[in-house]
């Protein structure tokens, strides 16, 4: 364990909060100049703007409750979708009352103090749907899927992986070619190889054969023939590099353990050797940028309380200078707090 300095008053304040919001956006177009990463700070009256990221799991979409349970997790988050998204998914919900497999892009916000969503660790605000399927109950047990596009009449399928384009048709030999050029934007993607040109647009596409909704339409040009279909980007959550356990011990004997789980849930355990007592906070985490995460805690000893911290990465440690508790910002001592990632 590594020692950190906290004043007694700030040590108490640190027990009262820890917070997170974080996420990973769709990669921007490549540019010649590196983009500067600006640090984000907590400010009273202003909310943190996280990056969006991909969350995969089973969703329950009813008129009075919408939730998502990430794959390989027992945690459920409230799912907040727009009326347009609800109308897009309505045909699937009418055909199946069972949970649906979904890949959604978005970010976390704190739960309210009252209402249906108050009982959940956080609300996941859906900015876009990558795919939702009724016949994909085994998808959670599958490995991360690559970017893909496909169509029917005739059936064709393409996947993009490791800078290669793999094209297949029934009863024909699979063709694999290196990608010569690609352009990745927020609302469109384009891939070019020697024989194939694939473009994808961010718009909802219905595949009646698989009873699924996809978040991208696709167009494939090969041998002077153009075919249309649906598509989905890779469901890989690139923010998982933050997941793990971070620890430190204060000079006053207060041991702090912050756990960032792969399902984006987060817990902070404070253990006092002197008093032989434990205090726990729970909530979620998400990425703000490549150097920072936002930890949002919504429960203190299982009681509702919203607290936030922004941690900045420095090699194998993360540091926070202040925290926001119920909207008010407090300092964390002259040196803040530094937690070290457990190997």
């Amino acid at each position: 364990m590594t020692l950190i300095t906290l004043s007694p008053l700030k040590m108490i304040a640190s027990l009262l909060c820890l917070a997170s919001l974080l996420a990973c956006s769709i990669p921007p177009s490549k540019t010649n100049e590196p983009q500067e990463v600006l640090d984000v700070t907590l400010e009273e009256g202003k909310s943190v703007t996280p990056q969006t990221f991909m969350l995969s799991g089973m969703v329950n979409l009813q008129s009075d409750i919408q939730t998502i349970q990430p794959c390989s997790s027992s945690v459920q988050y409230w799912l907040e979708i727009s009326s347009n998204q609800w109308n897009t998914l309505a045909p699937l919900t009418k055909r199946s009352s069972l949970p649906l497999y979904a890949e959604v892009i978005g970010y976390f916000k704190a739960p309210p103090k009252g209402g249906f969503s108050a009982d959940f660790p956080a609300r996941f605000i859906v900015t876009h749907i990558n795919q939702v399927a009724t016949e994909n109950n085994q998808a959670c047990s599958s490995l991360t899927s690559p970017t893909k596009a496909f169509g029917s009449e005739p059936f064709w399928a393409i996947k993009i992986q490791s800078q290669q384009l793999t094209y297949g048709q029934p009863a024909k030999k699979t063709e694999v070619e290196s990608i010569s050029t690609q352009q990745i934007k927020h609302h469109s993607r384009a891939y070019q190889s020697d024989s194939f040109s694939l473009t994808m647009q961010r718009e909802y596409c219905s595949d009646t054969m698989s009873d699924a909704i996809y978040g991208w339409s696709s167009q494939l040009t090969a041998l002077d023939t153009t075919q249309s279909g649906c598509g989905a980007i890779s469901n890989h959550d690139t923010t998982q590099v933050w997941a793990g356990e971070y620890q430190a011990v204060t000079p006053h004997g207060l041991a702090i353990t912050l756990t960032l789980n792969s399902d984006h849930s987060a817990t902070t355990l404070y253990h006092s050797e002197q008093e032989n007592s434990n205090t726990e906070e729970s909530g979620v985490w998400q990425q703000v940028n490549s150097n920072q995460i936002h930890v949002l805690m919504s429960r203190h000893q299982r009681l509702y309380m919203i607290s936030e911290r922004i941690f900045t990465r420095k090699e194998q440690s993360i540091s926070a200078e202040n925290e926001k508790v119920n909207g008010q910002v407090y300092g964390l001592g002259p040196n803040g707090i530094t937690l070290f990632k457990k190997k």
Side-chain angles (χ1 to χ4, degrees):
M1 293 273 191
T2 302
L3 297 181
I4 58 176
T5 301
L6 279 177
S7 67
L9 180 60
K10 299 309 177 184
M11 180 177 68
I12 294 174
S14 70
L15 280 171
L16 293 176
C17 70
L18 204 335
S20 105
L21 251 139
L22 113 66
C24 168
S25 61
I26 297 173
S29 299
K30 294 182 178 179
T31 59
N32 294 328
E33 297 295 329
Q35 300 297 305
E36 182 182 5
V37 177
L38 301 178
D39 284 349
V40 174
T41 59
L42 293 171
E43 297 182 46
E44 293 183 12
K46 292 185 178 181
S47 59
V48 173
T49 302
Q51 293 180 345
T52 57
F53 65 98
M54 184 82 71
L55 191 62
S56 302
M58 303 305 294
V59 298
N60 182 15
L61 299 174
Q62 305 297 327
S63 58
D64 57 348
I65 185 170
Q66 301 93 42
T67 63
I68 181 168
Q69 182 172 330
C71 295
S72 303
S73 172
S74 60
V75 177
Q76 287 189 332
Y77 302 116
W78 183 265
L79 200 64
E80 199 158 295
I81 62 177
S82 67
S83 57
N84 178 57
Q85 292 165 348
W86 179 266
N87 292 334
T88 299
L89 298 177
L92 299 185
T93 60
K94 291 178 181 179
R95 288 195 287 271
S96 176
S97 59
L98 298 174
L100 310 174
Y101 173 76
E103 296 170 3
V104 289
I105 300 168
Y107 59 93
F108 286 122
K109 290 188 71 174
K113 198 168 185 178
F116 287 119
S117 59
D119 294 331
F120 295 85
R123 295 174 292 156
F124 189 78
I125 313 300
V126 178
T127 58
H128 193 67
I129 298 167
N130 194 45
Q131 72 164 311
V132 177
T134 61
E135 300 177 356
N136 222 349
N137 292 331
Q138 300 302 316
C140 265
S141 61
S142 303
L143 298 175
T144 300
S145 61
T147 295
K148 60 186 179 182
F150 53 88
S152 56
E153 299 180 1
F155 176 82
W156 59 271
I158 273 186
K159 67 177 182 180
I160 307 295
Q161 194 172 29
S162 302
Q163 291 300 306
Q164 289 186 321
L165 182 153
T166 303
Y167 173 79
Q169 280 188 301
K172 292 186 178 181
K173 183 180 179 180
T174 299
E175 299 182 55
V176 180
E177 294 185 357
S178 296
I179 296 173
S180 55
T181 60
Q182 65 179 18
Q183 187 177 41
I184 299 176
K185 297 181 179 180
H186 189 63
H187 290 281
S188 65
R189 294 186 169 208
Y191 304 92
Q192 180 72 50
S193 67
D194 289 342
S195 306
F196 303 97
S197 176
L198 174 68
T199 59
M200 299 174 65
Q201 297 292 327
R202 187 166 167 169
E203 58 188 12
Y204 294 124
C205 179
S206 177
D207 179 24
T208 55
M209 294 186 65
S210 62
D211 209 13
I213 300 292
Y214 292 89
W216 298 75
S217 64
S218 63
Q219 191 172 71
L220 173 68
T221 300
L223 301 176
D224 297 326
T225 300
T226 299
Q227 298 169 311
S228 298
C230 297
I233 63 173
S234 172
N235 63 357
H236 177 52
D237 177 8
T238 58
T239 69
Q240 289 297 321
V241 294
W242 292 95
E245 192 173 277
Y246 300 80
Q247 299 176 324
V249 177
T250 75
H252 307 281
L254 179 68
I256 305 174
T257 302
L258 169 63
T259 304
L260 306 179
N261 297 305
S262 60
D263 61 5
H264 284 269
S265 63
T267 59
T268 305
L269 180 65
Y270 303 94
H271 176 71
S272 173
E273 289 285 353
Q274 184 177 359
E275 300 180 4
N276 192 27
S277 63
N278 292 324
T279 301
E280 184 177 281
E281 296 173 340
S282 60
V284 294
W285 67 270
Q286 58 191 349
Q287 181 169 290
V288 179
N289 54 50
S290 60
N291 293 333
Q292 294 179 303
I293 59 169
H294 184 210
V295 180
L296 167 66
M297 294 298 179
S298 57
R299 297 295 186 273
H300 176 80
Q301 294 290 75
R302 298 188 179 182
L303 297 178
Y304 179 90
M305 187 188 74
I306 303 301
S307 64
E308 306 172 67
R309 287 180 187 165
I310 291 179
F311 285 93
T312 301
R313 176 166 45 200
K314 297 176 182 178
E315 296 180 350
Q316 292 301 307
S317 69
I318 56 175
S319 301
E321 296 181 355
N322 51 39
E323 62 187 350
K324 184 189 288 188
V325 183
N326 293 331
Q328 188 169 353
V329 177
Y330 300 89
L332 294 172
N335 300 316
I337 63 171
T338 298
L339 305 176
F340 292 83
K341 192 169 187 178
K342 184 178 179 181
K343 295 182 180 179

